[in-house]
Amino acid sequence: MSKMSENGMVSRAKVLTIDTMNPTVKKVEYAVRGPIVQRAVELERELSEGMKKPFAEVIKANIGDAHAMGQQPITFFRQVLALCSYPELLNDSTFPEDAKSRAHRILQSCGGNSMGSYSASQGIDSVRQDVARYIERRDGGVPCDPDDIYLTTGASDGIVTMLKLLVCGEGAARTGVMISIPQYPLYSAALAELGAVQINYYLNEETCWSLDIGELQRALDEARQYCNPRALCIINPGNPTGQVQSRECIEDVIRFAAKERLFLMADEVYQDNVYAEGCQFHSFKKVLFEMGPEYSNTVELASFHSTSKCYMGECGFRGGYMEIINMDDEVKAQLTKLVSVRLCPPVPGQALMDLVVNPPQPGEPSYDNFIKERTATLSALAQKAKLTEQVLNTVQGISCNPVQGAMYSFPRITIPEKAIKEATDKGQQPDMFYCMKMLEETGICLVPGSGFGQKDGTYHFRMTILPPNDKLQILLNKVKEFHQRFTQQYS
């Protein structure tokens, strides 16, 4: 439709408007980069322009972006990536020989010996072989076929790809996907965009965010009345809740998936981030195969890993992989077709993934320094996990479970009734109101628990444990002081 504007020009209505755009996109929400973070960016700009604030800097503890928080990259990884990016450096004597040999091998696997060329859509063959060997070592010799490995643009890409394959049907036959609450909002966002049905199962906060099979059964039975549940997503170690699942729990989940004919999706990107005594990472694939052929030959499983977390923290390279187990051959052909549409994952990310699964070995020049850096990074995270739990639990009105793994704490906060009413009057979730007020008064950027899901009547926030020790101590003290002030103000 056209109309005359004030200057005499004919103006046309936009083809794409908020009313004519894809309605599923409008339902997508992603809390870790939501309104709180947008306001934090504005505050940083205002500070840089000289505006006076009650704080000198914004501390972002909203997202698991390790290097942005000061974590140092692993030297060997960056050396090899530098050599691959600029092969002239292979003639430089300052680079160790094992870094050069890794770079040679990666470049020989690239078209034209250049990391700037496309790779095969499933990923570089030699990298997939290295990933398969890594999985075999990790899982105590359980076989891994490189043809079951798909390299991905971070783990997120693999997760969304698998959900695309699973979603079908209309009405009561529409695919339902079970996700833990609290959850990482990638899952809810992807399900909203795909028009799938989100089935919530609640983790038990009273028992350190444990997973209960009875709760899975409740959620499944209820969901079957209005959708077709087809998949069960597990995050282990947990995000945002930081729990590490026991082997017994994983066995129970596998039996449940087998009994109820559910496709299992295991998000294992924090598998090296285990801190608590008595906790250990068990891969779903290893447990599945050790349970015997009744399960290992039938239960369909996709597991995911990434270069973004653990001790690497290389979020920007967008490296990752997924392994698929017991997938129907015809569906696997469709998966390969689907990933070919986006040509290939970023080749630098694939190269980095290769280094993660094939790091320096004993006797190689870079080995000692690699172990030193890796150990220091993981030890520092373990210390910060303990510090975060200890300090938050000294605050009346804040209760923090042990951070057993991953990179986050998800403490429960008590919000006074007057604050809940003021938030409701403003059309805000009470924990969003709390976190926004904290940001404006202290410069601390956290994510409200409502962005991850929580039981009705409970309130939380998620904060990363990534800032350096001195900044983390400042952050925790500011949170403590703010909560006390906030409680007094609204009591």
Side-chain angles (χ1 to χ4, degrees):
M1 188 174 178
S2 302
K3 60 181 180 179
M4 193 72 73
S5 65
E6 290 179 10
N7 61 7
M9 300 287 287
V10 175
S11 67
R12 292 169 53 117
K14 300 281 189 189
V15 173
L16 183 62
T17 69
I18 198 71
D19 294 321
T20 62
M21 70 176 284
N22 183 338
T24 62
V25 174
K26 289 188 279 187
K27 295 178 183 176
V28 171
E29 293 183 2
Y30 191 64
V32 295
R33 293 210 171 178
I36 291 260
V37 185
Q38 291 159 19
R39 179 58 184 146
V41 172
E42 287 175 9
L43 287 170
E44 282 183 318
R45 190 183 68 248
E46 290 169 8
L47 281 169
S48 71
E49 291 168 355
M51 288 182 68
K52 293 289 181 220
K53 301 286 176 190
F55 46 87
E57 65 172 336
V58 173
I59 301 178
K60 291 180 184 167
N62 61 292
I63 194 166
D65 190 354
H67 291 188
M69 288 282 96
Q71 183 175 307
Q72 292 303 298
I74 298 294
T75 302
F76 179 78
F77 293 171
R78 288 300 183 90
Q79 285 174 330
V80 178
L81 291 170
L83 291 163
C84 289
S85 298
Y86 188 55
E88 290 293 313
L89 292 174
L90 288 163
N91 300 316
D92 189 326
S93 60
T94 59
F95 286 82
E97 287 305 312
D98 53 346
K100 289 181 180 180
S101 67
R102 288 291 203 294
H104 268 302
R105 183 168 178 267
I106 291 168
L107 289 171
Q108 284 170 356
S109 301
C110 296
N113 293 325
S114 170
M115 206 160 57
S117 59
Y118 288 130
S119 75
S121 297
Q122 198 170 337
I124 296 170
D125 284 347
S126 64
V127 178
R128 290 191 293 116
Q129 289 164 15
D130 285 348
V131 169
R133 284 195 288 268
Y134 160 80
I135 291 171
E136 288 179 351
R137 289 194 305 274
R138 182 197 69 186
D139 292 346
V142 175
C144 179
D145 184 349
D147 196 44
D148 291 338
I149 304 297
Y150 287 76
L151 300 182
T152 57
T153 308
S156 303
D157 171 45
I159 291 163
V160 172
T161 299
M162 283 308 309
L163 290 173
K164 284 180 182 177
L165 290 180
L166 282 157
V167 174
C168 67
E170 298 297 333
R174 189 67 173 166
T175 293
V177 178
M178 302 182 71
I179 64 171
S180 60
I181 298 296
Q183 54 103 23
Y184 176 50
L186 163 71
Y187 291 90
S188 54
L191 294 175
E193 186 179 355
L194 293 168
V197 179
Q198 176 178 319
I199 304 169
N200 296 339
Y201 66 89
Y202 289 87
L203 301 176
N204 189 339
E205 184 170 9
E206 279 63 44
T207 53
C208 206
W209 298 112
S210 64
L211 191 160
D212 178 66
I213 296 299
E215 170 60 13
L216 284 181
Q217 193 70 59
R218 177 208 63 78
L220 183 73
D221 292 344
E222 286 183 14
R224 281 192 168 138
Q225 298 173 34
Y226 56 83
C227 70
N228 178 22
R230 302 186 70 207
L232 169 59
C233 299
I234 308 284
I235 309 174
N236 180 47
N239 175 11
T241 44
Q243 84 285 5
V244 178
Q245 289 185 349
S246 68
R247 184 194 168 90
E248 181 185 9
C249 176
I250 294 170
E251 288 182 2
D252 288 343
V253 169
I254 290 170
R255 288 189 195 97
F256 178 81
K259 176 171 73 83
E260 302 294 349
R261 298 193 70 248
L262 296 170
F263 191 108
L264 265 178
M265 295 176 59
D267 180 340
E268 299 175 333
V269 302
Y270 297 99
Q271 57 190 257
D272 290 325
N273 298 109
V274 177
Y275 317 121
E277 281 185 33
C279 288
Q280 182 183 347
F281 171 74
H282 301 277
S283 80
F284 265 78
K285 190 218 178 154
K286 181 176 191 282
V287 176
L288 175 66
F289 275 76
E290 289 177 350
M291 289 172 71
E294 178 189 354
Y295 297 100
S296 62
N297 290 344
T298 58
V299 174
E300 295 153 88
L301 168 70
S303 56
F304 308 90
H305 195 19
S306 166
T307 62
S308 301
K309 309 302 177 184
C310 300
Y311 63 93
M312 302 84 72
E314 295 278 13
C315 304
F317 280 97
R318 310 308 299 132
Y321 73 75
M322 65 177 173
E323 181 186 14
I324 53 167
I325 304 294
N326 292 323
M327 179 176 276
D328 179 271
D329 287 341
E330 290 183 317
V331 175
K332 191 174 178 183
Q334 293 294 319
L335 169 60
T336 303
K337 177 187 74 175
L338 184 60
V339 299
S340 72
V341 174
R342 52 98 162 110
L343 294 174
C344 70
V347 174
Q350 294 186 53
L352 178 59
M353 190 80 249
D354 190 59
L355 301 172
V356 170
V357 299
N358 185 23
Q361 299 302 305
E364 293 183 334
S366 302
Y367 177 75
D368 288 346
N369 192 53
F370 167 75
I371 293 297
K372 179 183 169 187
E373 291 178 342
R374 181 183 187 277
T375 303
T377 298
L378 292 174
S379 297
L381 286 168
Q383 289 167 6
K384 291 188 279 191
K386 195 71 181 167
L387 175 69
T388 300
E389 176 200 345
Q390 287 173 341
V391 174
L392 290 178
N393 279 329
T394 65
V395 187
Q396 189 171 359
I398 297 183
S399 171
C400 183
N401 269 318
V403 183
Q404 296 176 337
M407 296 178 169
Y408 317 96
S409 65
F410 196 70
R412 185 167 175 171
I413 51 175
T414 302
I415 298 181
E417 284 300 321
K418 274 174 67 177
I420 293 172
K421 184 178 185 309
E422 186 173 329
T424 306
D425 291 345
K426 291 182 174 181
Q428 288 185 344
Q429 291 285 345
D431 49 10
M432 169 64 88
F433 174 76
Y434 175 96
C435 288
M436 192 65 86
K437 203 166 178 60
M438 186 191 297
L439 175 63
E440 296 288 353
E441 292 183 17
T442 68
I444 303 294
C445 180
L446 308 176
V447 190
S450 48
F452 301 89
Q454 54 198 351
K455 281 191 175 176
D456 289 344
T458 68
Y459 306 106
H460 303 78
F461 59 75
R462 188 189 83 163
M463 64 166 278
T464 73
I465 60 169
L466 291 171
N469 259 317
D470 55 342
K471 267 197 184 166
L472 182 62
Q473 193 72 62
I474 292 167
L475 186 157
L476 291 167
N477 288 338
K478 282 190 171 188
V479 169
K480 183 176 182 175
E481 291 163 9
F482 168 80
H483 187 83
Q484 290 166 341
R485 245 189 353 263
F486 182 88
T487 303
Q488 287 170 356
Q489 181 182 348
Y490 287 99
S491 60

